[in-house]
Amino acid sequence: MEQSDLDLSNEPMTGMVDTNAPDNGDSTAMEAAGDGFISDHPNLSHNAQWTVDQVPDTLAALANQQYLGQDHALQAATVEQYSADEHSKPLEQKSAISEDSATEQPDDSAHSVGSQMETNGQAAESFLGEPEPSSLKQAESGSSEGPANMELEDASKEGSEDGSGDASEQKPSLPSEFERLYKVVEDNPEDFNGWVYLLQYVEQENHLVASRKAFDAFFLHYPYCYGYWKKYADIEKKHGCVQMADEVYRRGLQAIPLSVDLWLHYVAFLRENQDTSDGEAENRIRAVYEHAVLAAGTDFRSDRLWEAYINWETEQEKLANVTAVYDRILAIPTQLYSQHFQRFKDHVQNNNPKHFLSEEEFVQLRLELAAANKPTGEGEEETPTEELPPGTEDLPDPAKRVTEIENMRHKVIEARQEIFNHNEHEVSKRWAFEEGIKRPYFHVKALEKTQLSNWREYLDFELENGSPERVVVLFERCLIACALYEEFWIKYAKYLESYSTEGVRHVYKKACTIHLPKKSTIHLLWAAFEEQQGNIEEARGILKSLEEAVPGLAMVRLRRVSLERRHGNLDEAEALLQDAIKNGKSLSESSFYSVKLARQLLKVQKSIGKARKVLLEAIEKDETSPKLYLNLLELEYSGDVQQNEAEILACFDRAISSPMPLDSRVTFSQRKVEFLEDFGSDINVLVAAYEHHQKLLKEQESTKRKTENGSEEPDSKRQRMDDGSAASGQMVPDMQANHGGYNYNNWYQQYNSWGTQNTWGQYGQYQYNQYYPPPPT
């Protein structure tokens, strides 16, 4: 299955399938990743291909049909917009294979979006991923109009030219309300209701150009909404652009190849519109079904797709093919596993073995039965083979013929019974998890905690017990329902690290560029991953893009600084910190970056003078920040304490005479006395420091009494005092004789630096684990 008219085959649909599947019988549906995806794992090999028996010689014919080169301006524009990131398309489509298995839901909502607009919540949920009954019925039962034509280039050329070529040339004006509605979503792409109103509006206006612009823009942000792919294709078809409708379906299946509903809609579309004159229509439809079951057939809820495939093969009277399809589905844990086995037994009982078995299996069974009935006498030299007719010809004796048929049926069912039993056991292990999945489709609304917990437990189970194919498919299903939760993307990327670098990169890229453009944690992990791979420019670009999308995140700026420092670009690192200081939104933010810059200058660039200058300039602007004084003290302590006594005392005096809260000044005064006790050279200075400290203590005591009597300090001041006291209460070890009391790590831990998991007054906004709020509820 190397090539096909389906774009899916070259990139997402055949790259990861090993038909010599593991003994668990899973249908290998992990084929959306491209060459490098999990290429190191034997079961995930890119080299496995389908045999001619499995996929008749149709893919070669399909591969010759390339319609993307047509001279249709609008078509090219549409494809170009969708493929803005074309250089990564093979990789993006790789994980996409599983990304929609979860978007299947009953189809009533999908149909309702085309009708009247309802409330905001209803409108937003009305068309996310529910199949349309009429289309599905047609897809499953088979259309009487004949197989679909995938060679739509010639058959629909006139319609395509009329529908899209003229529209491109005339450039008709857009509907009156289009620009207003489009601007809403352009300014805020996360406004899903705005998108719903826009798409409903262009559909009601029946305006092709506006519809293309709206839908193409929508899918750049929400590619998992399979129902809208169907709606988009219907609009193209309605305007006579059959070829463009086909292209829309292909794009949708590249984005969400696990969508059973979208595959069924696509097959129904092809069967309605293809040209059957070349005699290859049947083979082309069979190839599409093969693509579909490879992509989505391992999904626990893929039964309708398999049934549609079986029904279609039955309509074609290819009973041997029906048996081959049953052999695959009977080994896959699905929701209707028992029903498949019962239908298989009916299939066997209602048909002649020579019709529903391949010739090879039929002959083998005949030989086995003959050998089993062979006399056991030692003198018997004749073999059953000499008495048997060649190939699948009937036995001449009617009685023996009837007996053989019944025995063959029994043997066929018996051989599959063991597979069924094993599959039943696998289903039982997963049934509770599947029952817990209440919303398998994508929606912008937050999932319930129980749903998230169920996905976590299911993934952990599959990671421990499942094959790599099943693990990947489950991850892809999960990431449809949980697309807005970065923990699952991160878990997926971590899992793929042991298989494929390209697979990891694809997961990060898909998450960060489409679904989580403003989530910082996964961006930071992506940048770290690229840096580990030696792609420094890529890592630099990821961090810069994130900072542009979500400005003001301290951790992102610090990660950019550390990246430049690690690779020797100290000037750039310093420039980034200087820029952050200059453009800080508050004094505290500028002070935070000043501390970081001073530490880099001191510890990395060994420039104590420049570091001192940075801190002094920061103190002039923010005189109430204990951290600035503490860092200045650390800097002075880093040299010879006795030689730097004057500078250290000057730093203490600057802090004590500052407008900091009283508790903070008392703490610095106490540390000054301790310093003079340990290292001071003049007793007079020590006595003076002690006396001044006593005055501050009396002032502090007086303030406490006023507070106890009800004269409380203003909230803002009390907060600063709390900040200062929190610092002062932990500064005891800092001024001991051991200079280690001022080492960076101790100070950083004691004062929570500028953002650990514990808050520090108003600096709590810099916590590194709080980059961006969770999805709205």
Side-chain angles (χ1 to χ4, degrees), residues 266-307:
Y266 184 45
V267 171
F269 166 81
L270 291 177
R271 297 179 67 177
E272 291 174 7
N273 295 281
Q274 77 167 350
D275 180 10
T276 60
S277 60
D278 61 355
E280 290 295 317
E282 178 182 325
N283 289 336
R284 282 192 287 272
I285 293 298
R286 183 172 290 111
V288 175
Y289 271 120
E290 280 298 326
H291 276 290
V293 296
L294 286 175
T298 314
D299 185 355
F300 192 83
R301 307 185 185 196
S302 61
D303 303 282
R304 288 180 298 110
L305 179 60
W306 288 102
E307 290 174 357

Side-chain angles (χ1 to χ4, degrees), residues 240-433:
C241 304
V242 178
Q243 183 174 333
M244 287 299 295
D246 183 271
E247 174 61 22
V248 169
Y249 272 118
R250 295 164 189 265
R251 288 169 50 192
L253 290 170
Q254 288 173 352
I256 43 175
L258 275 181
S259 175
V260 170
D261 293 303
L262 195 56
W263 278 110
L264 294 176
H265 286 311
Y266 184 45
V267 171
F269 166 81
L270 291 177
R271 297 179 67 177
E272 291 174 7
N273 295 281
Q274 77 167 350
D275 180 10
T276 60
S277 60
D278 61 355
E280 290 295 317
E282 178 182 325
N283 289 336
R284 282 192 287 272
I285 293 298
R286 183 172 290 111
V288 175
Y289 271 120
E290 280 298 326
H291 276 290
V293 296
L294 286 175
T298 314
D299 185 355
F300 192 83
R301 307 185 185 196
S302 61
D303 303 282
R304 288 180 298 110
L305 179 60
W306 288 102
E307 290 174 357
Y309 192 5
I310 290 169
N311 292 339
W312 179 81
E313 286 286 10
T314 303
E315 290 175 10
Q316 312 309 310
E317 299 182 353
K318 300 296 177 62
L319 299 184
N321 289 349
V322 172
T323 302
V325 175
Y326 270 122
D327 282 340
R328 293 156 69 183
I329 183 58
L330 290 178
I332 300 174
T334 64
Q335 192 171 27
L336 304 181
Y337 73 99
S338 181
Q339 178 178 310
H340 295 314
F341 190 53
Q342 184 59 49
R343 291 185 63 184
F344 171 72
K345 290 190 290 186
D346 294 341
H347 165 69
V348 171
Q349 295 294 342
N350 296 333
N351 295 285
N352 193 312
K354 70 177 182 179
H355 296 148
F356 67 75
L357 294 176
S358 66
E359 182 176 350
E360 180 182 355
E361 184 176 0
F362 181 87
V363 172
Q364 180 64 30
L365 272 179
R366 171 173 279 178
L367 292 173
E368 291 177 4
L369 292 173
N373 296 328
K374 175 184 175 182
T376 57
E378 296 182 0
E380 184 67 36
E381 295 183 358
E382 278 190 321
T383 63
T385 308
E386 298 175 359
E387 302 175 359
L388 299 177
T392 59
E393 293 183 14
D394 292 333
L395 293 175
D397 187 334
K400 289 184 178 180
R401 182 162 64 247
V402 172
T403 302
E404 181 189 57
I405 289 175
E406 291 303 319
N407 289 339
M408 279 190 175
R409 287 171 174 165
H410 176 75
K411 293 281 287 184
V412 167
I413 294 176
E414 184 181 49
R416 274 72 174 181
Q417 182 70 48
E418 184 177 351
I419 297 174
F420 169 78
N421 293 340
H422 173 75
N423 191 43
E424 187 174 40
H425 178 65
E426 293 297 316
V427 170
S428 67
K429 293 190 294 186
R430 294 167 173 83
W431 192 267
F433 296 118

Side-chain angles (χ1 to χ4, degrees), residues 467-529:
S467 66
E469 289 87 350
R470 293 205 64 83
V471 172
V472 167
V473 168
L474 184 61
F475 265 118
E476 298 288 356
R477 290 179 59 196
C478 171
L479 289 174
I480 294 171
C482 307
L484 302 181
Y485 294 86
E486 59 185 344
E487 65 169 289
F488 296 103
W489 291 98
I490 294 171
K491 190 182 186 78
Y492 190 16
K494 294 296 183 184
Y495 170 75
L496 292 178
E497 283 181 355
S498 59
Y499 296 109
S500 168
T501 298
E502 287 302 310
V504 176
R505 179 175 291 115
H506 167 63
V507 170
Y508 278 133
K509 185 169 187 176
K510 191 172 193 178
C512 295
T513 60
I514 299 176
H515 302 287
L516 305 172
K518 295 184 178 180
K519 294 284 189 179
S520 59
T521 301
I522 194 166
H523 280 80
L524 295 175
L525 289 172
W526 183 20
F529 170 77

Side-chain angles (χ1 to χ4, degrees), residues 523 526-527 530 535-549 556 560 563-564:
H523 280 80
W526 183 20
E530 294 295 353
N535 301 323
I536 310 305
E537 285 300 323
E538 181 72 12
R540 186 178 286 122
I542 292 167
L543 294 174
K544 185 175 181 181
S545 298
L546 174 61
E547 192 169 44
E548 291 173 353
V556 179
R560 293 183 65 190
L563 182 145
E564 301 299 344

